[in-house]
Amino acid sequence: MTSDPRPEPDARDEVGSPSTAPQTPDSALLVADAWGIHRRWLNALDEVVEVPPASVEALRAAMGVPEADLEERAPIVARRGADLGLGLVEVSCEDGERRQVDGPLADDFPYGYHELRSPTGPRRLIVSPGRCWLPEDWRAWGLTVQVYSARSGDSAGIGDLADLRTIRELSQGRGAGFVLINPLHAVAPTFPQQASPYLPATRRFRNPLYLRVSGMEEEAARLSTSTTLDRDAVWRAKRAALEAQFVAREQNPDFDSWREDQEGSVDLFALWCVLAEDHGPDWRLWPEALRDPDGDAATTIAGQKAEAVTFHVWLQWLLEGQFVEAAGDCTVIQDLPIGVDGGGADSWVWQDTLVNAATVGAPPDVFNAQGQSWGSPPLAPWRLRAAGYQPFIESIRATMAGGGGIRIDHVMGLFRLWWIPEGQSPAEGAYVRYPSADLLDIVALESHRAQSIVVGEDLGTVEPGVREELADRAVLSYRLLWFEEDEPADWPSAAMAAVTTHDLPTIAGLWNGEDLEDQMAHVPTPRTQLEENRSDLLARLAGTPTGAATGRAEPSTEEVVLAAHRRLAESPCVLLSATLEDVVGQRLRPNMPGTTTRENWSIPLPVPVQDLGELPLLEAVCACLDAAVHRAAPARSGACDVG
């Protein structure tokens, strides 16, 4: 890395950023500096907060400075009709065609990833349709499923891809058009197993825990009786069975062909798995020679342990096959986490692009006075550009693959992310600006190619202009009955509507007070505040009379759940979703943010998958949402099929 050719800005001066934020009258004071760092930000009370100078300096040091020729070799992301501003250049298209460009890109210029030759050398040219794929007249409802929690009598202690297939078939048979699932991304194959789906080792490959493994009837009976999920026990049992099947397998040309098509990426992930088993799940603690994925030491191990590497590649092949079967002809919307484990596989492969001296999170707000750290190292904006956006492209592409849908967790992170310097509290962080126009164009291109709808999880603090920009790109918004002050009938049509999320109370838990008690046991929050929050949420279930209002007994949990979904069904949103937790009357939410003593991400559903079809409440909720999507809805703005 060379030194920065620019004069270093004073620590208190704001300068323009290559990636511009949505501009508002108040945003002049909030312009990012030359590193993309905002030294001021607006809190939930619209007060300007100054970032500590020490935090700014720490983030600058962690991020580094770009090489002097970055702007001459960084990728160009453009749309048809755009002038590249380079004069006459030759473009080698990815399909082998060669074109000359002098001025605006032609209306028939192919979308994709090309290479152009400019006077300063070769550069990647990414041509995007600019808008995500979204069928013009499609409207659907579906279930939101935490796959790990949806156990059956055959799934050996944890919900798996065969269980997902059962749920998909059950809901599709009642008219559902999609299923929204938690991230299925892989974690380290070591112990203890990472429980959170939102801190994976990779965003490109899947977790073998979700495989349905034959010949495990005895283990299935034993492991499926636990009141919380024991991932370690499940992985030990499945690993042993899978290793035996791997040894006994016959040569399969389909596997060999699939492996070749991965162009080495799955082999590198598999090598990380092998090294993690020998040296631990954090590559930053490995012997120094093994920290370089392209180094001689790693290459030597890959040769010496070729069969072990092939085993982990084979697991990914099995996962792809089972996932395709689980999805069938239904849209399966897969969740994309905001980041990865700093010691994981993606961080090992792309360590020059990630910043391990910082983590991403959220600033203090009305819900969390201390702020939050989510544990993932951020991608450095300039390093991401220098890498041709490849880490981002591969993560988006892999998560869309096979399902036809993606939900981008904390989609505001494509615009700016809250960075927390190593060793400091979340309150001492700062927002860092990203090249959002380029990233959104890449999402649109991958969506177009995969025929994948895109939902952006835009909950929490959303800076002005972001939702409008997402709507212009046909990225669906995400609206919750618990949060929205407007009536559901007034929600935007270009959105997914839901009652709650995995981080919020279930309807049953909220109604009977069990979630309140759960919070009191694990989160140091005054009871009065929790009770006020509960009352506020219950008030949103307008139309659900209480005993005090009617002189009769309070409605049952089932009546409240159905009432909430009837309210949801009033919205014109293109997608309506119900969580599986709500339709089975689950009282405990999957995850309670800010807790360290609770069994987050490890609570099974109280009803086994094979019995779901017998639940009257599930039938009633499905019928309610199915009737809603077949009612005429207002035409949604921004919807188009760019195919």
Side-chain angles (χ1 to χ4, degrees), residues 306-361:
E307 193 70 355
V309 170
T310 298
F311 170 68
H312 287 283
V313 174
W314 180 73
L315 293 180
Q316 293 303 314
W317 178 65
L318 294 180
L319 281 160
E320 178 160 316
Q322 288 195 15
F323 180 79
V324 169
E325 289 183 3
D329 60 353
C330 186
T331 296
V332 176
I333 304 173
Q334 302 180 75
D335 218 346
L336 177 74
I338 191 65
V340 295
D341 189 325
D346 283 0
S347 178
W348 181 58
V349 172
W350 291 321
Q351 56 191 273
D352 292 335
T353 308
L354 287 158
V355 177
N356 268 299
T359 59
V360 299

Side-chain angles (χ1 to χ4, degrees), residues 508-545:
L510 185 71
W511 184 249
N512 67 20
E514 191 161 335
D515 185 81
L516 177 66
E517 298 305 320
D518 196 16
Q519 289 184 74
M520 289 296 301
H522 296 98
V523 182
T525 307
R527 185 180 186 92
T528 54
Q529 180 180 334
L530 292 178
E531 289 175 339
E532 288 175 3
N533 292 343
R534 176 178 181 269
S535 298
D536 181 61
L537 291 177
L538 289 174
R540 298 181 189 276
L541 294 177
T544 305

Side-chain angles (χ1 to χ4, degrees), residues 198-255:
Y198 291 88
L199 192 60
T202 175
R203 296 193 293 179
R204 298 175 295 152
F205 302 102
R206 299 187 178 100
N207 192 335
L209 272 178
Y210 291 111
L211 284 170
R212 171 61 59 88
V213 183
S214 60
M216 293 189 63
E217 291 76 12
E218 185 175 330
E219 290 88 348
R222 175 174 56 85
L223 294 169
S224 295
T225 59
S226 59
T227 55
T228 57
L229 304 184
D230 187 344
R231 285 177 171 82
D232 289 355
V234 172
W235 178 231
R236 285 190 181 94
K238 287 194 174 184
R239 171 73 186 249
L242 287 164
E243 283 183 331
Q245 293 177 18
F246 175 73
V247 170
R249 79 194 190 286
E250 297 179 355
Q251 285 297 115
N252 189 322
D254 290 340
F255 167 65

Side-chain angles (χ1 to χ4, degrees), residues 58-286:
L59 292 179
R60 287 179 174 180
M63 195 183 306
V65 292
E67 296 172 348
D69 62 346
L70 175 63
E71 295 305 321
E72 298 173 354
R73 60 184 179 83
I76 298 173
V77 184
R79 304 182 195 176
R80 292 169 174 170
D83 191 333
L84 303 183
L86 299 174
L88 179 63
V89 293
E90 183 176 85
V91 178
S92 298
C93 299
E94 61 180 341
D95 63 0
E97 180 186 6
R98 290 183 178 273
R99 290 199 178 199
Q100 288 192 330
V101 176
D102 188 4
L105 291 174
D107 290 342
D108 66 346
F109 202 93
Y111 299 134
Y113 301 91
H114 317 300
E115 182 181 276
L116 64 80
R117 295 197 170 275
S118 71
T120 57
R123 300 178 72 173
R124 172 175 259 185
L125 172 63
I126 303 173
V127 181
S128 168
R131 293 175 58 78
C132 296
W133 181 82
L134 188 62
E136 182 66 41
D137 299 317
W138 188 60
R139 192 167 187 239
W141 68 272
L143 294 178
T144 296
V145 181
Q146 301 294 315
V147 178
Y148 58 85
S149 72
R151 303 190 299 190
S152 68
D154 298 322
S155 52
I158 193 169
D160 60 27
L161 289 170
D163 294 318
L164 175 60
R165 177 176 178 171
T166 299
I167 294 168
R168 184 265 298 172
E169 291 174 341
L170 179 146
S171 60
Q172 200 174 17
R174 288 156 176 77
F178 71 89
V179 180
L180 170 63
I181 61 174
N182 63 278
L184 301 183
H185 302 99
V187 300
T190 54
F191 302 100
Q193 285 277 286
Q194 170 62 257
S196 173
Y198 291 88
L199 192 60
T202 175
R203 296 193 293 179
R204 298 175 295 152
F205 302 102
R206 299 187 178 100
N207 192 335
L209 272 178
Y210 291 111
L211 284 170
R212 171 61 59 88
V213 183
S214 60
M216 293 189 63
E217 291 76 12
E218 185 175 330
E219 290 88 348
R222 175 174 56 85
L223 294 169
S224 295
T225 59
S226 59
T227 55
T228 57
L229 304 184
D230 187 344
R231 285 177 171 82
D232 289 355
V234 172
W235 178 231
R236 285 190 181 94
K238 287 194 174 184
R239 171 73 186 249
L242 287 164
E243 283 183 331
Q245 293 177 18
F246 175 73
V247 170
R249 79 194 190 286
E250 297 179 355
Q251 285 297 115
N252 189 322
D254 290 340
F255 167 65
D256 297 333
S257 176
W258 176 86
R259 184 177 191 175
E260 186 175 345
D261 288 344
Q262 306 307 303
E263 298 181 343
S265 61
V266 71
D267 278 79
L268 200 54
F269 167 71
L271 175 58
W272 177 84
C273 290
V274 171
L275 292 170
E277 290 171 331
D278 289 342
H279 301 284
D282 189 338
W283 66 267
R284 296 167 296 188
L285 304 178
W286 292 353

Side-chain angles (χ1 to χ4, degrees), residues 14 52 57 64 109 124 239 245 254 279 332 373-374 388 420 455 464 472 503 517 519 534 556 584 621 623 643:
E14 303 281 359
E57 294 306 316
F109 202 93
R124 172 175 259 185
R239 171 73 186 249
Q245 293 177 18
D254 290 340
H279 301 284
V332 176
S373 175
W374 300 329
I420 305 162
V455 179
D472 286 344
D503 288 333
E517 298 305 320
Q519 289 184 74
R534 176 178 181 269
S556 67
V584 302
V621 169

Side-chain angles (χ1 to χ4, degrees), residues 408-426:
I408 301 176
D409 190 44
H410 194 69
V411 72
M412 296 84 76
L414 301 186
F415 295 83
R416 65 178 186 178
L417 265 179
W418 186 257
W419 285 32
I420 305 162
E422 185 177 34
Q424 298 190 32
S425 73

